[in-house]
């Protein structure tokens, strides 16, 4: 339960971070705005052409009389628009992250720098980052679809299907949303998708606590645009907890003094002078 609360806390920390860095908040909204405009255009076209799609999909109803032909084709039109809206809702975050890869890479880097102990920038071409992100997003969407089918079937169970199943659905969606949002920060730390999934499964309440609240928030597309920069910032802060970056010298506790002249290999040092005892013994 404490991890669940900590995950929720990272959501608020991320929003506070972008509130303190207004320029980065505006910068981080650009990919979500681009994606939103694209989705609105597609949904508008789908609504306009839904009647023609229904006519094409139901040739068997051409000879039907009123009102049955109209009822069937209206139902198909509603199903087409509804399916398109559901697909847009499910894929919006993944597409936004793909479109915004360069933007969110810069945002993650800035969050890391502001908090200290930032990882080194990966030496990977942009085209390869986009390819890896697209592949990973597709893998996540397939997992979400598999869970969705199971939860859909469980939804027919009386009482449980109307109470427990929706709550589980939000938690599952929240977990995978955290996987998507933390991908940029964890990729910068050198973790492949399988390692990221394993890492987040070990801290499942933390991942669900962060993502489940965002799932509810992201049900409103406009709020998705406003909250996306803070969500990425919060996911970066969460990634710092999961995979902290050690400062140089932290691992062995050494300092630059360990490499100071005085060893036998140090140039300009007379043999046998200022040499540690470990080197004097044969």
């Amino acid at each position: 339960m404490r991890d669940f609360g900590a995950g929720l806390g990272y959501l608020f920390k991320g929003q506070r971070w972008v509130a303190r860095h207004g320029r980065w908040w505006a910068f981080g909204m650009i990919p979500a705005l681009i994606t939103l405009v694209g989705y609105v255009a597609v949904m508008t076209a789908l609504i306009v052409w839904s009647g023609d799609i229904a006519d094409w999909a139901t040739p068997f109803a051409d000879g039907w009389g009123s009102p049955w032909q109209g009822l069937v084709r209206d139902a198909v039109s509603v199903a087409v628009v509804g399916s398109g809206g559901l697909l847009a809702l499910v894929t919006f975050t993944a597409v936004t992250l793909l479109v915004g890869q360069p933007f969110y890479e810069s945002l993650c880097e800035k969050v890391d720098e502001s908090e200290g102990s930032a990882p080194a920038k990966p030496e990977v071409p942009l085209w390869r980052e986009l390819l890896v992100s697209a592949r990973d997003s597709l893998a996540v969407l397939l997992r979400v679809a598999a869970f969705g089918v199971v939860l859909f079937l469980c939804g027919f169970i009386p009482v449980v299907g109307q109470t427990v199943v929706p709550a589980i659905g939000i938690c599952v969606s929240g977990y995978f949303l955290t996987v998507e949002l933390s991908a940029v920060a964890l990729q910068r730390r050198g973790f492949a998708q399988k390692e990221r999934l394993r890492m987040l499964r070990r801290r499942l309440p933390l991942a669900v606590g962060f993502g489940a609240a965002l799932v509810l928030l992201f049900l409103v597309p406009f709020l998705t645009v406003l909250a996306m920069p803070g969500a990425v910032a919060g996911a970066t802060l969460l990634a710092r907890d999961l995979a902290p970056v050690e400062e140089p010298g932290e691992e062995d506790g050494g300092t630059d003094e360990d490499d100071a002249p005085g060893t036998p290999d140090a140039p300009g040092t007379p043999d046998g002078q200022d040499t540690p005892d470990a080197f004097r013994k044969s």
Side-chain angles (χ1 to χ4, degrees), residues 33 54 56 61-62 66 78 111 121 135 138 153 181 205 278:
L33 285 170
W56 170 81
D62 288 343
S66 178
V78 171
V111 173
K121 190 172 183 179
R135 183 196 64 196
L138 179 60
L153 294 176
L181 289 170

Side-chain angles (χ1 to χ4, degrees), residues 159-235:
V159 182
V160 174
Q162 293 73 50
T163 54
V164 177
V165 171
I168 294 175
I170 291 173
C171 291
V172 170
S173 300
Y175 168 76
F176 284 111
L177 182 57
T178 302
V179 170
E180 283 282 273
L181 289 170
S182 62
V184 177
L186 290 174
Q187 278 177 347
R188 295 186 72 239
R189 287 159 170 78
F191 292 98
Q193 188 184 55
K194 286 184 179 179
E195 296 172 306
R196 300 196 301 267
L197 288 168
R198 188 161 50 246
M199 187 182 301
L200 288 167
R201 279 199 302 268
R202 286 199 297 263
R203 301 288 299 277
L204 190 60
L206 183 73
V208 172
F210 178 78
L214 277 173
V215 168
L216 298 175
L217 192 64
F218 283 5
L219 291 176
V220 184
F222 185 67
L223 288 182
T224 305
V225 175
L226 294 177
M228 182 61 81
V232 174

Side-chain angles (χ1 to χ4, degrees), residues 92-101 104 137 180-181 184 228 232:
F92 184 86
T93 301
V95 173
T96 300
L97 289 171
L98 183 61
V99 171
Q101 178 73 24
Y104 296 139
S137 294
E180 283 282 273
L181 289 170
V184 177
M228 182 61 81
V232 174

Side-chain angles (χ1 to χ4, degrees), residues 3-266:
D3 257 5
F4 185 90
L8 186 60
Y10 281 116
L11 173 59
F12 291 107
K13 289 177 183 177
Q15 301 302 326
R16 282 202 301 268
W17 191 95
V18 294
R20 294 197 307 267
H21 302 80
R23 184 172 67 88
W24 286 96
W25 176 63
F27 178 79
M29 279 200 299
I30 294 173
L33 285 170
I34 293 172
T35 307
L36 181 63
V37 169
Y39 271 57
V40 168
V42 171
M43 287 301 301
T44 301
L46 191 62
I47 291 170
V48 170
W49 295 101
S50 62
D52 293 327
I53 295 172
D55 292 345
W56 170 81
T58 58
F60 55 84
D62 288 343
W64 291 10
S66 178
W68 304 112
Q69 184 188 76
L71 288 173
V72 168
R73 287 181 169 168
D74 286 346
V76 172
S77 296
V78 171
V80 167
V81 175
S83 298
L86 180 61
L87 184 63
L89 184 65
V90 170
T91 61
F92 184 86
T93 301
V95 173
T96 300
L97 289 171
L98 183 61
V99 171
Q101 178 73 24
F103 295 84
Y104 296 139
E105 178 75 29
S106 298
L107 178 56
C108 286
E109 185 177 356
K110 183 63 180 178
V111 173
D112 271 328
E113 287 177 355
S114 70
E115 299 296 318
S117 303
K121 190 172 183 179
E123 300 288 337
V124 180
L126 178 59
W127 67 267
R128 184 170 178 79
E129 286 186 358
L130 293 175
L131 184 63
V132 171
S133 295
R135 183 196 64 196
D136 290 350
S137 294
L138 179 60
V140 169
L141 286 175
L142 289 175
R143 287 181 169 91
V144 171
F147 275 101
V149 170
V150 174
L151 291 172
F152 174 76
L153 294 176
C154 291
F156 291 102
I157 301 174
V159 182
V160 174
Q162 293 73 50
T163 54
V164 177
V165 171
I168 294 175
I170 291 173
C171 291
V172 170
S173 300
Y175 168 76
F176 284 111
L177 182 57
T178 302
V179 170
E180 283 282 273
L181 289 170
S182 62
V184 177
L186 290 174
Q187 278 177 347
R188 295 186 72 239
R189 287 159 170 78
F191 292 98
Q193 188 184 55
K194 286 184 179 179
E195 296 172 306
R196 300 196 301 267
L197 288 168
R198 188 161 50 246
M199 187 182 301
L200 288 167
R201 279 199 302 268
R202 286 199 297 263
R203 301 288 299 277
L204 190 60
L206 183 73
V208 172
F210 178 78
L214 277 173
V215 168
L216 298 175
L217 192 64
F218 283 5
L219 291 176
V220 184
F222 185 67
L223 288 182
T224 305
V225 175
L226 294 177
M228 182 61 81
V232 174
T236 304
L237 295 172
L238 186 148
R240 290 172 59 84
D241 180 16
L242 293 174
V245 177
E246 293 182 345
E247 292 283 4
E250 273 187 0
E251 189 173 347
D252 56 6
T255 63
D256 292 340
E257 293 178 359
D258 294 335
D259 299 324
T263 67
D265 296 331

